[in-house]
Amino acid sequence: MEANETKKDSSKHWLQRLKDESWEAELLVSAVAIFGTFKLFDIVGWVTNTFINILNPDLYRPSYIIIYLGLLAVSLLVSLFLIHFALRAYWIGLVGLNSVYPDYSIKDSLFSKIYAKRLVSILPTIKDSIEKVDKLCSVIFSVAFVFLLIYANAAIIFSIYLLFYNGFLDIIPHFILVLPIWVFGFLLILQMISGFLANLKMNHEKYKLQIFAFKVNKLVSTIMFGPLYKSILQVNMVLTSRVKRTKRVLQFMFILLIGGGFVVFYHYKNTNIIFLSNPKKYMSKSIASAGYYKINNEENTFLINPEIESDIINKQIMKVFIPLFLHERNKAKELCNYKSKGLKEEEKSKLLDQCYKNYISIKVNDTIINPEIVRRNHEKTRQQGVIAYINTSNLKPGKNNISVKKGNLFNWSFPFFLEK
């Protein structure tokens, strides 16, 4: 009996010591998380470009919502981890200060006794501040990782569905493909209504309603959060079951989260997210003009629009690289009824060149031209596309305009200056 009690006391002592020293692990993980979270912006950009390349343009708007929420989530995480790191560092400073000067000293103060007393009366004790900052740091740290898990699971699940939808868009009837969205939307509405009714004080003892609300919430959480739904619900339950104690902390966190939203505006312009929201509007934006010229694309890792070497051309032959997304290449093959079965490699190549040539229309100064094209990957971004070789000998010196149309959706137009 005594041995069991000793073992239990030892376990409690170990757990308490782990709690007391958890700040060390928090600070270390927070520093690593800050670095890692900044890297997530690159992943958001990569996923954006992948969606542009793979998805049917009709699905750009839904993918825009997923990507924008991802960018917002990463921005909020960066804000949270920076705030956590700063607060935990402040906490360490308070602990060190408290070890040397346990409390305020009015007697040895630089100020007068009357002034010092007044000042101390409005200040919390150092021990009280240490405890509050420690709790705040722990809550921020926990919620930040739960927030990451929530979005990561939801984004992966919805992205898989979006890719599935895109892959079977031309095979399965539309109403069957959208059926899961309607079902999930219905479940979300059912969850909100049942949760609202179940949380009313007058319904707390209604057994059937409470069980129904629980089952609906569990089902929606399983769909949205995937296999980690129990971990997410666990932390959520800890916070909501201590709502009276954590209310002020959560209010403070809400204010901090608003600040994190500003980070999204800086990184928004560094991605191609805007293209997913409205491709035609993006093509009319002057902000895209620099991307038409190779000399401005040294740091660009994914081309959306056509590219020429410079805004000033002094050569007889002008090269125009035209990127072709995966869904465009498939569309071009469909339009020209491309069938490679039974053909030799040379015949396949010629037929494919003709498919792309039919898909692309090029104008110079409003005159349709028929330049030679060669299929080639971009030397820097490694994107698949074609290079059109345009003879400039018959063009006027000075300002000229080139238009590139791909299918019925993409139509780029930009100027260049010919120097002879």
Side-chain angles (χ1 to χ4, degrees):
M1 185 75 176
E2 291 181 1
N4 289 335
E5 288 181 358
T6 303
K7 188 176 181 180
K8 194 176 288 186
D9 291 339
S10 176
S11 177
K12 287 182 179 179
H13 177 71
W14 172 83
L15 186 59
Q16 185 60 46
R17 184 160 55 85
L18 184 63
K19 289 179 180 178
D20 293 338
E21 297 176 358
S22 65
W23 65 269
E24 297 176 350
E26 278 187 31
L27 197 62
L28 177 61
V29 175
S30 182
V32 175
I34 290 171
F35 175 78
T37 308
F38 273 108
K39 290 295 182 182
L40 288 177
F41 286 114
D42 296 335
I43 296 178
V44 172
W46 176 81
V47 174
T48 301
N49 297 335
T50 301
F51 279 168
I52 292 172
N53 184 44
I54 293 176
L55 295 181
N56 185 298
D58 293 336
L59 299 178
Y60 278 177
R61 291 284 178 86
S63 66
Y64 170 78
I65 296 173
I66 294 175
I67 296 297
Y68 185 83
L69 288 177
L71 181 62
L72 183 60
V74 174
S75 299
L76 293 177
L77 280 174
V78 167
S79 176
L80 282 173
F81 285 129
L82 286 173
I83 291 167
H84 173 270
F85 188 83
L87 286 175
R88 186 54 80 181
Y90 172 63
W91 179 85
I92 293 172
L94 286 177
V95 171
L97 186 64
N98 185 64
S99 66
V100 181
Y101 305 110
D103 214 334
Y104 308 110
S105 175
I106 296 176
K107 181 180 178 181
D108 299 326
S109 174
L110 178 66
F111 307 108
S112 67
K113 190 174 182 181
I114 297 173
Y115 182 88
K117 280 186 176 181
R118 289 278 182 174
L119 188 59
V120 169
S121 67
I122 66 171
L123 297 177
T125 63
I126 295 179
K127 288 184 178 180
D128 187 43
S129 295
I130 289 173
E131 184 179 351
K132 287 183 177 179
V133 174
D134 185 42
K135 287 181 178 179
L136 181 60
C137 287
S138 296
V139 171
I140 289 176
F141 196 76
S142 300
V143 174
F145 271 103
V146 170
F147 188 61
L148 177 61
L149 289 175
I150 288 174
Y151 177 74
N153 280 278
I156 291 172
I157 291 171
F158 293 139
S159 295
I160 291 173
Y161 170 75
L162 195 64
L163 293 174
F164 175 84
Y165 188 106
N166 180 74
F168 292 92
L169 186 60
D170 298 325
I171 302 173
I172 300 176
H174 177 71
F175 74 93
I176 295 178
L177 290 174
V178 299
L179 186 61
I181 299 177
W182 288 107
V183 172
F184 183 69
F186 172 76
L187 289 174
L188 276 179
I189 295 172
L190 192 62
Q191 181 194 36
M192 289 188 286
I193 295 174
S194 62
F196 173 76
L197 293 175
N199 285 324
L200 293 176
K201 194 172 182 179
M202 62 181 182
N203 294 328
H204 281 187
E205 301 303 322
K206 294 183 178 180
Y207 181 81
K208 289 186 178 180
L209 176 61
Q210 297 297 326
I211 295 300
F212 178 76
F214 163 74
K215 288 183 177 180
V216 172
N217 182 56
K218 181 183 176 182
L219 178 60
V220 172
S221 298
T222 305
I223 296 172
M224 183 176 290
F225 305 142
L228 296 178
Y229 81 96
K230 286 187 178 180
S231 300
I232 295 170
L233 291 179
Q234 182 182 45
V235 177
N236 182 59
M237 183 59 187
V238 170
L239 293 173
T240 54
S241 63
R242 297 288 189 272
V243 68
K244 292 182 179 179
R245 295 184 183 181
T246 59
K247 189 175 181 181
R248 289 184 179 179
V249 176
L250 292 176
Q251 287 174 345
F252 181 63
M253 272 202 59
F254 179 73
I255 296 172
L256 298 179
L257 285 172
I258 293 175
F262 290 102
V263 181
V264 74
F265 294 107
Y266 172 77
H267 287 279
Y268 186 87
K269 63 183 180 181
N270 294 330
T271 66
N272 293 318
I273 294 178
I274 189 175
F275 184 78
L276 290 173
S277 65
N278 193 336
K280 290 185 178 179
K281 186 177 180 180
Y282 177 86
M283 287 184 278
S284 65
K285 289 276 186 180
S286 60
I287 56 171
S289 60
Y292 295 128
Y293 312 109
K294 186 176 180 180
I295 58 174
N296 299 322
N297 289 333
E298 292 181 0
E299 297 182 2
N300 200 346
T301 58
F302 187 85
L303 284 177
I304 291 179
N305 44 256
E307 178 191 71
I308 62 176
E309 291 181 284
S310 175
D311 55 335
I312 299 176
I313 301 296
N314 53 15
K315 298 178 181 179
Q316 185 175 350
I317 301 296
M318 179 175 71
K319 292 195 301 182
V320 185
F321 178 81
I322 305 168
L324 289 172
F325 308 135
L326 178 61
H327 64 82
E328 288 186 294
R329 298 197 297 272
N330 294 335
K331 187 68 176 177
K333 290 177 182 178
E334 290 176 10
L335 291 175
C336 72
N337 196 24
Y338 175 80
K339 293 179 181 178
S340 60
K341 191 174 182 180
L343 296 178
K344 297 179 180 179
E345 287 300 323
E346 187 177 346
E347 293 173 328
K348 289 180 186 179
S349 181
K350 287 182 179 179
L351 183 57
L352 197 56
D353 286 343
Q354 190 60 45
C355 289
Y356 292 160
K357 203 168 185 178
N358 293 340
Y359 181 73
I360 298 169
S361 174
I362 301 176
K363 291 182 180 180
V364 176
N365 300 327
D366 296 325
T367 301
I368 296 177
I369 62 173
N370 189 27
E372 293 295 326
I373 66 167
V374 175
R375 283 182 290 115
R376 187 174 297 175
N377 291 348
H378 192 272
E379 58 189 19
K380 184 176 183 298
T381 67
R382 308 311 302 168
Q383 290 173 255
Q384 292 189 43
V386 299
I387 294 180
Y389 296 89
I390 299 176
N391 192 331
T392 64
S393 58
N394 296 324
L395 300 180
K396 62 180 181 179
K399 184 179 179 181
N400 290 268
N401 195 74
I402 181 171
S403 299
V404 178
K405 184 179 181 182
K406 300 190 295 179
N408 296 320
L409 180 62
F410 305 117
N411 190 1
W412 310 95
S413 182
F414 55 97
F416 66 93
F417 290 82
L418 185 61
E419 187 181 73
K420 289 189 177 181

